[in-house]
Amino acid sequence: MADSQSNNAWKFMVMVFVVLICAVDVLSAQIRYSVTEEMEQGAVIGNIAEDLGMNIATLSGRKGRLVADYTKRYLEVNLENGLLLANERIDRDKLCGPITTCVLSFQIVFENSPEMYRGEVEILDINDNSPRFPESVILLQMAETMAPVSSFPLESALDPDMGTNAVTVYKISANEHFGLKVETAEDGTKLVELLLEKPLDRERQSSFQLMLTATDGGSPPRSGTARILITVLDSNDNAPAFDSKAYKVSLIENSPRGTLVVSIHATDPDEGSNAEVTYCFSNRVSQKMPELFSLDPRTGEIRVQGIIDYEGASSYSLDVQAVDNGSPAIAGHSKVFINVIDVNDNAPGIKVTIVSSRVPEDAAPGTVAALVNVIDRDSGKNGKVHCEIQENVPFKLQTSSSGHYKVITSDMLDRETTPLYNIAILARDSGSPPLSTNKTIQVSVSDINDNAPRFARPMDTLYVMENNAPGASIFAVTAFDSDQGQNSYITYSFIDNLIQDLPLSNYLNLNSMNGTIYALRSFDYERVKNFQIQVQARDSGVPPLSSSATLDVIILDQNDNAPVIVSPTAQSGSAGVEVVPQSAGQGYLVTKIIATDADSGQNARLLYQVLEATDPSLFIVGLHSGEIRTARGILEQDSTTQNLVILVKDNGQPCLSSTATIHFSILGNVTEIFSERSNSVTNPEYVSDRNLYLIVILGSTSFIFLVTIVLLIGIKCKQDRNTPEDYNSPSCCSGLDDSKNSFNLRPTVKESLNYSMAGEIIRIPDAHHYSVCLSPESAKSDFLFLKPYTPPVSQDQC
């Protein structure tokens, strides 16, 4: 079964290959007919539809038409029955003249289709013309002294037919004195001479009448006759003799008048007047020759008399004679063959047939746009024409036959780049100098939907100030489409997205016609700082094309949050106590204010300054760091209790602020001294009695100092409980009931601070407050015990 399937597949491939070959043959098919001349008008030449393998309905429906190069319309196609007809009587002899093969070329083209079929009709010659002599009577004079084998040229008979239908045989009537000599010249013409075969005797016969007959090779043959009347003269028995039996020269066409062609010369062995020679054209020269050439009767110079045109005749044959002055006069004969040299005096001619004036921009390379026929009347290399498209356009010329070209697309077209092409066709021959002809054709490119909408900025950033007014326009996207008409109509839409787990449509609205984006609600920077949306632009083509742009939406901050002091924290309405050793020198770090601001940028840039101080000269605060340090060394006369009110403000417009109140307790350096002396005892084996006494004294002193501190803390805590107007919560210092172990942070803002933006009144919320309690060593500890605290709001300065 597998073998059967394989055989079937192979047969199918062979069938496809045969079909493809047939299709190629059809596209490049050439039909040829042969008909005889003199066909009547309307005569059937052939069946185009049948020979092209298509039915008549297809030929008529596709609007086929016949295109030919010649001026007269000899042929036509009947679209109703597909017959190729003779449009008028065709005379091959007039149409092609001496050309051996007479062919009428044509093309069958179809509207809006790249297909083209070429055809030829060969016109066959029939024997419809009889040979005809230029003169029906030929008069000759011969001296009786003429020697045998003397020859007398006779004018050849003319027959317009070609090939075997032309003159092939000459005959003369029977006689005993004369015969015929027939030779074929280089140009193919028959040269006929009358030969004197037997001496004449005027006294026996003074004249002769002969019948010359020319017969062609047709079937049946045709013939023509001329009478030869010969008069026998007495005396002057030597005819002039030319230097050459035939003169062969070349002459450039368009030579100016008076140009010397050749000088002929003849001599006569007679004496006196019988030897005087006069030159002239013989009576066999056609009437046109004297119009083109002149012959000086004395010098024998042949010069140009008229216009020599190679395209009219490529060669000339002149019969000349030299006549002496004898009585009777005797003539000598010769021939002058003039070969005309072609010069490049005809520019190529270009004929264009437009197949389709509008080519779709998605047309595949090789699509036919026009047919070009190029003709040059010159010959040789002067008539060899090279045709090309001059400019850099996506079109090229494809040769279909000699002198016939097709203008086809060579690359993909793009209407958006070039909607109209001016195709300049140059035809240049190979002459020296070359001649050329230019012709320009126009081809329009029709649009297809091959361009998606393009955003001016596919990636953009949108800045929106928080607390914006709902319903206001915040941005507009713009897309462009290079196509035309319906293909360029654009609509806009959002690509589904979420903002904080909510659909994008809850926040924004997009005008589908003009791309304007509206905000449906106010944005809060502290909740949403940025998000990303995608906008799609879709055209109305078939099928539609689309593209998207990404917008990074950045919410701009407003200064709507006051600074929040995080450390040190306040509790129970009372400021905490920072212990400062009395030995602290200038620059000693006592503590650090740590604050945050929910805003950003300059709105969150915090500045610290001392608002109030018990002794303004003792402590300073870092403007940007919030570090509280001693401004100088502590003196004995300084109060052991110091208070600082620190203002923390942001850099917004207008600015918002908070305050913190810190209490400082200046104590002696007992703990530090004890630590230093304890560290100095490194080896107990070397402790003397004196050192032992010193240790006992220092330990006792330290114990008394610690008891004093505990008592002071207890008294302070008791005072705190008796002053509820300053604190709202009890002490929170892990069992230490001493007011010196706590301090109060009081952040404040200006109450009911209002300002307007985008037509909306915004109220700034109240500041946050904290109460913080710390141990005596809190300045050196990282552990904080926080408890919320809400004191009355105070007015601060910025």
Side-chain angles (χ1 to χ4, degrees):
M1 183 173 180
D3 294 337
S4 176
Q5 292 179 350
S6 175
N7 292 333
N8 292 334
W10 173 252
K11 291 179 180 179
F12 177 76
M13 293 175 64
V14 170
M15 291 176 64
V16 171
F17 180 75
V18 171
V19 171
L20 289 177
I21 291 177
C22 293
V24 172
D25 290 339
V26 170
L27 290 176
S28 60
Q30 177 170 342
I31 52 179
R32 184 180 178 92
Y33 302 98
S34 296
V35 297
T36 58
E37 64 176 332
E38 306 295 338
M39 292 184 67
E40 295 297 329
Q41 182 178 6
V44 177
I45 296 175
N47 192 319
I48 293 291
E50 180 179 345
D51 295 336
L52 293 180
M54 61 175 65
N55 56 50
I56 297 175
T58 302
L59 180 66
S60 177
R62 295 171 65 183
K63 298 181 179 180
R65 58 191 174 100
L66 184 143
V67 179
D69 302 336
Y70 30 84
T71 305
K72 284 188 177 182
R73 189 174 180 181
Y74 292 102
L75 307 173
E76 68 175 3
V77 174
N78 189 328
L79 297 180
E80 295 180 359
N81 51 28
L83 297 179
L84 179 65
L85 306 176
N87 194 44
E88 65 179 41
R89 178 178 171 271
I90 301 176
D91 187 348
R92 182 205 174 282
D93 307 315
K94 291 183 179 180
L95 179 64
C96 299
I99 298 175
T100 304
T101 302
C102 185
V103 175
L104 294 177
S105 300
F106 64 91
Q107 297 90 33
I108 303 296
V109 296
F110 300 91
E111 187 172 341
N112 297 323
S113 173
E115 295 182 74
M116 181 190 71
Y117 301 90
R118 293 183 289 108
E120 293 180 350
V121 177
E122 182 180 6
I123 309 301
L124 303 178
D125 183 54
I126 62 174
N127 193 23
D128 58 341
N129 293 281
S130 297
R132 181 176 57 83
F133 289 93
E135 299 290 338
S136 60
V137 177
I138 301 174
L139 300 176
L140 296 178
Q141 291 181 337
M142 299 182 185
E144 63 176 345
T145 56
M146 291 284 294
V149 193
S150 296
S151 63
F152 301 89
L154 301 178
E155 194 164 2
S156 302
L158 304 177
D159 193 339
D161 296 326
M162 297 295 296
T164 58
N165 294 328
V167 175
T168 57
V169 178
Y170 286 91
K171 293 181 179 181
I172 195 171
S173 57
N175 66 93
E176 60 178 342
H177 289 278
F178 299 96
L180 288 179
K181 179 182 179 181
V182 180
E183 295 180 346
T184 303
E186 292 182 357
D187 59 354
T189 60
K190 300 288 186 179
L191 302 179
V192 184
E193 294 181 343
L194 182 66
L195 294 179
L196 179 61
E197 297 178 343
K198 184 178 180 180
L200 300 175
D201 185 358
R202 176 187 163 294
E203 287 69 28
R204 294 183 61 184
Q205 187 173 353
S206 61
S207 64
F208 296 87
Q209 181 171 337
L210 305 175
M211 186 65 68
L212 179 63
T213 304
T215 306
D216 60 25
S219 179
R222 291 173 176 262
S223 62
T225 60
R227 287 189 303 154
I228 302 176
L229 299 179
I230 301 174
T231 302
V232 180
L233 303 176
D234 196 15
S235 67
N236 191 19
D237 56 354
N238 288 291
F242 282 94
D243 298 340
S244 176
K245 188 176 181 180
Y247 296 87
K248 297 179 181 180
V249 296
S250 296
L251 178 65
I252 299 175
E253 72 167 322
N254 301 324
S255 295
R257 292 177 182 271
T259 300
L260 178 64
V261 179
V262 66
S263 292
I264 59 176
H265 183 260
T267 58
D268 194 317
D270 293 327
E271 293 182 353
S273 61
N274 292 332
E276 295 177 359
V277 178
T278 300
Y279 301 99
C280 63
F281 291 119
S282 71
N283 56 4
R284 295 193 300 178
V285 173
S286 67
Q287 296 179 355
K288 187 179 180 180
M289 292 299 106
E291 298 176 0
L292 299 176
F293 303 98
S294 64
L295 174 59
D296 191 303
R298 294 298 176 189
T299 63
E301 294 180 345
I302 299 176
R303 295 183 179 272
V304 175
Q305 177 78 12
I307 298 176
I308 306 302
D309 185 10
Y310 176 87
E311 287 69 41
S314 61
S315 63
Y316 297 95
S317 178
L318 302 178
D319 290 307
V320 293
Q321 61 183 9
V323 183
D324 60 22
N325 254 349
S327 181
I330 300 177
H333 299 272
S334 182
K335 267 189 172 294
V336 177
F337 293 101
I338 302 174
N339 181 40
V340 180
I341 299 174
D342 182 41
V343 298
N344 195 26
D345 59 344
N346 291 283
I350 301 176
K351 180 181 178 182
V352 176
T353 302
I354 301 296
V355 175
S356 177
S357 60
R358 293 180 65 85
V359 179
E361 61 178 324
D362 62 344
T367 301
V368 179
L371 302 177
V372 178
N373 296 333
V374 181
I375 301 173
D376 195 315
R377 295 178 58 203
D378 294 321
S379 64
K381 68 176 184 178
N382 295 331
K384 185 178 180 180
V385 180
H386 174 69
C387 197
E388 64 181 12
I389 293 177
Q390 290 182 278
E391 300 179 357
N392 186 19
V393 294
F395 293 88
K396 67 179 181 180
L397 288 176
Q398 184 183 70
T399 304
S400 59
S401 60
S402 178
H404 298 273
Y405 302 87
K406 292 188 288 186
V407 179
I408 63 174
T409 57
S410 60
D411 203 347
M412 298 303 295
L413 306 179
D414 186 4
R415 188 207 62 80
E416 290 69 38
T417 302
T418 308
L420 177 67
Y421 288 96
N422 291 314
I423 304 174
I425 300 175
L426 172 66
R428 180 188 291 110
D429 60 28
S430 301
S432 180
L435 300 179
S436 61
T437 302
N438 291 281
K439 190 153 190 175
T440 301
I441 61 175
Q442 287 188 341
V443 176
S444 300
V445 181
S446 58
D447 184 53
I448 64 169
N449 191 28
D450 59 342
N451 288 278
R454 179 175 54 86
F455 283 92
R457 300 184 65 178
M459 296 289 293
D460 207 347
T461 303
L462 170 61
Y463 297 93
V464 180
M465 186 68 71
E466 69 171 328
N467 303 317
N468 57 291
S473 169
I474 60 173
F475 195 68
V477 293
T478 304
F480 304 92
D481 197 311
S482 303
D483 294 321
Q484 276 185 331
Q486 192 73 15
N487 296 332
S488 65
Y489 295 151
I490 298 175
T491 56
Y492 302 90
S493 62
F494 282 131
I495 297 178
D496 291 341
N497 199 0
L498 296 176
I499 301 178
Q500 290 189 335
D501 298 329
L502 292 177
L504 179 62
S505 58
N506 287 14
Y507 290 86
L508 300 173
N509 183 38
L510 175 62
N511 189 317
S512 62
M513 301 305 295
N514 58 26
T516 302
I517 300 175
Y518 299 92
L520 300 180
R521 61 172 64 185
S522 296
F523 292 100
D524 184 3
Y525 174 81
E526 286 68 41
R527 295 186 59 191
V528 180
K529 290 182 173 56
N530 67 284
F531 56 90
Q532 192 177 82
I533 61 175
Q534 286 186 309
V535 179
Q536 183 186 70
R538 182 187 180 99
D539 61 28
S540 301
V542 178
L545 300 178
S546 63
S547 64
S548 62
T550 301
L551 297 179
D552 287 325
V553 182
I554 298 177
I555 308 301
L556 298 179
D557 181 47
Q558 284 186 334
N559 196 24
D560 56 352
N561 291 281
V564 176
I565 299 174
V566 177
S567 175
T569 57
Q571 183 175 323
S572 302
S574 174
V577 176
E578 287 289 342
V579 176
V580 182
Q582 194 169 7
S583 62
Q586 183 181 359
Y588 178 81
L589 176 61
V590 179
T591 187
K592 179 177 181 179
I593 303 297
I594 300 175
T596 62
D597 195 315
D599 297 320
S600 65
Q602 291 295 325
N603 296 331
R605 184 182 178 188
L606 303 180
L607 303 176
Y608 304 85
Q609 66 185 60
V610 177
L611 189 61
E612 296 179 9
T614 303
D615 185 352
S617 66
L618 184 55
F619 298 101
I620 60 174
V621 64
L623 179 63
H624 299 289
S625 65
E627 294 179 345
I628 301 175
R629 296 180 181 270
T630 55
R632 56 178 174 79
I634 299 175
L635 306 176
E636 292 182 0
Q637 61 268 26
D638 290 333
S639 175
T640 60
T641 301
Q642 298 286 336
N643 295 324
L644 282 181
V645 178
I646 305 299
L647 175 68
V648 183
K649 65 178 180 180
D650 57 30
N651 204 30
Q653 293 294 331
C655 68
L656 302 178
S657 64
S658 299
T659 60
T661 302
I662 305 177
H663 301 287
F664 297 94
S665 176
I666 301 175
L667 300 178
N669 298 333
V670 177
T671 304
E672 293 182 4
I673 295 172
F674 179 78
S675 299
E676 292 173 1
R677 294 194 174 183
S678 298
N679 294 334
S680 66
V681 182
T682 59
N683 194 342
E685 296 179 0
Y686 296 96
V687 178
S688 63
D689 294 338
R690 183 179 296 177
N691 292 337
L692 182 59
Y693 294 145
L694 290 175
I695 292 172
V696 171
I697 292 171
L698 290 175
S700 301
T701 304
S702 299
F703 177 76
I704 294 171
F705 179 75
L706 291 175
V707 171
T708 303
I709 290 175
V710 171
L711 291 175
L712 290 174
I713 292 174
I715 294 171
K716 182 62 177 175
C717 290
K718 185 176 182 181
Q719 290 177 352
D720 292 340
R721 288 192 295 269
N722 295 331
T723 57
E725 66 276 10
D726 294 331
Y727 304 92
N728 294 330
S729 62
S731 178
C732 56
C733 298
S734 302
L736 296 177
D737 189 16
D738 192 335
S739 61
K740 294 181 181 181
N741 294 324
S742 65
F743 58 92
N744 184 29
L745 302 179
R746 292 186 177 181
T748 62
V749 296
K750 294 182 179 181
E751 189 173 4
S752 302
L753 178 60
N754 300 329
Y755 65 98
S756 174
M757 173 174 284
E760 182 180 4
I761 303 301
I762 301 175
R763 180 180 177 87
I764 303 303
D766 293 339
H768 302 277
H769 302 273
Y770 299 90
S771 177
V772 181
C773 296
L774 302 174
S775 66
E777 295 296 320
S778 62
K780 302 177 181 178
S781 175
D782 294 329
F783 296 94
L784 300 178
F785 302 89
L786 306 179
K787 188 174 183 179
Y789 173 63
T790 310
V793 177
S794 62
Q795 300 292 330
D796 297 311
Q797 298 178 355
C798 293

